[in-house]
């Protein structure tokens, strides 16, 4: 057993001990704007990432670093508030320990949420987008060093079509418009140039952000089904005259956060 495996086992053990009788079935990673969804968790037990050796150290303003266990609509869930981004220290496998721990606990579905810029003027600030596919523009992998043929992960339908159908049905029931499109992963932390955004549009991207893709790859490698949702916090660089900043992202995320978290809290139990 490697130290990494030890950390995963120790994290899974602590979560099982603290989390009560029902192991989580669905896990959620909360990005900017999605944090209010934690309030929908009943019988909540919080564990700081700092107590879970396989979990990352998280630093970015607006991201906590707490695992919340509990129930949503009768379904046992694990909600991860806080993620480590590849741009923080250059490691695309920053979330590997956390996602392996979820797999060790038997989690079958992972909902990844993020804030993103829109490449489509018709999908404006405050819109919600279901990710249908991604472009790994960073061309880095969280699977570096993985042994065996399992590392050659099939990413067709990485964003699980049946889970996407459920999300659309829930959005329709709530009368919430839900776009669907391709998410391009850019490393950041700098925002894109207008020329890069024109490139991404040409390549078929609908939204751009700095997370999610390595987590999707890790989850698919671990056999976990993935759903991903973007909260559009701005039109991407060059599409309007608004200057881009992290403060603007957080302000827009907060403004649209209630709708986003309401949809998410309804989608999660519908998946199980
Ligand atoms: N680009 C990259 N990441 C983002 C953006 C953007 O415009 N908005 C929110 N996250």
């Amino acid at each position: 057993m490697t130290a990494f495996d030890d950390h995963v086992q120790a994290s899974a053990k602590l979560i099982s001990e603290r989390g009560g009788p029902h192991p989580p079935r669905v896990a959620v990673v909360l990005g900017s704007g999605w944090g209010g969804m934690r309030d929908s968790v009943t019988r909540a037990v919080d564990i700081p990432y700092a107590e879970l050796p396989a979990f990352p150290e998280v630093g970015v303003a607006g991201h906590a670093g707490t695992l919340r266990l509990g129930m949503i609509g009768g379904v046992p869930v694990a909600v991860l508030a806080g993620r480590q981004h590849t741009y923080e220290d250059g490691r695309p496998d920053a979330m590997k320990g956390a996602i392996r721990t979820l797999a060790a606990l038997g989690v079958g579905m992972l909902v990844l949420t993020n804030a993103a810029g829109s490449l489509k003027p018709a999908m404006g600030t405050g819109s919600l987008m279901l990710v249908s596919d991604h472009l790994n523009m960073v061309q880095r992998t969280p699977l570096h060093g993985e042994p065996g043929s399992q590392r050659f992960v099939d990413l067709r339908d990485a964003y699980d079509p049946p889970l996407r159908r459920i999300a659309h049905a829930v959005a329709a029931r709530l009368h919430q418009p839900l776009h669907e499109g391709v998410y391009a992963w850019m490393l950041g932390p700098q925002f894109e140039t207008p020329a890069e955004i024109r490139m991404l549009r040409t390549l078929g991207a609908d939204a751009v952000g700095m997370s999610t893709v390595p987590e999707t790859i890790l989850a698919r490698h671990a056999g976990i089904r993935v759903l991903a949702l973007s909260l559009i916090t701005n039109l991407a660089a060059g599409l309007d005259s608004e200057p881009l900043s992290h403060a603007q992202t957080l302000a827009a995320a907060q403004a649209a956060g209630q709708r986003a978290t309401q949809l998410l809290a309804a989608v999660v139990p519908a998946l199980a």
Side-chain angles (χ1 to χ4, degrees):
M1 278 251 273
T2 62
F4 174 80
D5 294 328
D6 280 343
H7 287 165
V8 168
Q9 290 310 319
S11 301
K13 184 160 175 281
L14 191 116
I15 292 167
S16 316
E17 286 165 2
R18 296 254 192 100
H22 306 294
R25 292 179 57 198
V26 183
V28 186
V29 177
L30 299 177
S32 303
W34 298 90
M37 184 266 196
R38 296 201 316 157
D39 298 340
S40 306
V41 179
T42 58
R43 286 193 255 156
V45 174
D46 285 345
I47 308 177
Y49 286 5
E51 291 182 34
L52 300 166
F55 277 56
E57 276 179 37
V58 295
V60 186
H63 303 266
T66 309
L67 175 69
R68 174 165 289 185
L69 305 163
M71 309 289 283
I72 298 184
V75 176
V77 295
V79 180
L80 285 72
R83 58 156 56 94
Q84 194 177 334
H85 302 79
T86 305
Y87 62 70
E88 291 174 59
D89 63 1
R91 287 183 41 216
D93 64 351
M95 296 295 286
K96 181 161 131 178
I99 290 172
R100 289 287 164 80
T101 300
L102 298 174
L105 289 165
V107 166
M109 287 170 267
L110 179 62
V111 182
L112 300 169
T113 65
N114 59 51
S118 169
L119 280 73
K120 296 200 297 193
M123 182 168 72
T125 299
S127 299
L128 299 174
M129 188 190 92
L130 198 56
V131 177
S132 60
D133 203 346
H134 74 227
L135 291 171
N136 181 349
M137 298 305 297
V138 179
Q139 280 298 293
R140 302 273 311 279
T141 177
L143 302 180
H144 198 137
E146 284 299 323
S149 57
Q150 218 190 320
R151 79 185 109 167
F152 301 105
V153 182
D154 185 354
L155 292 183
R156 264 181 321 174
D157 295 334
Y159 301 91
D160 198 272
L163 299 187
R164 275 154 55 197
R165 281 195 285 278
I166 293 169
H168 278 302
V170 171
R173 176 159 57 75
L174 297 176
H175 304 291
Q176 280 237 35
L178 181 60
H179 297 260
E180 185 166 291
V182 174
Y183 175 94
W185 176 34
M186 293 290 269
L187 180 59
Q190 72 285 348
F191 286 103
E192 299 72 33
T193 64
E196 286 169 339
I197 293 302
R198 286 194 297 276
M199 170 188 76
L200 294 176
R201 285 181 79 168
T202 305
L203 295 179
D206 300 300
V208 57
M210 305 174 192
S211 69
T212 303
V213 166
E215 296 157 21
T216 297
I217 296 169
L218 286 164
R220 293 307 303 135
H221 180 251
I224 298 174
R225 296 165 74 189
V226 174
L227 186 78
L229 287 159
S230 295
L231 167 55
I232 300 299
T233 54
N234 56 279
L235 289 180
L239 269 64
D240 72 3
S241 54
E242 180 100 350
L244 297 177
S245 68
H246 190 55
Q248 192 278 335
T249 298
L250 294 182
Q254 195 162 27
Q258 205 182 339
R259 255 186 312 113
T261 60
Q262 188 205 9
L263 177 66
L264 183 58
V267 165
V268 167
L271 300 177

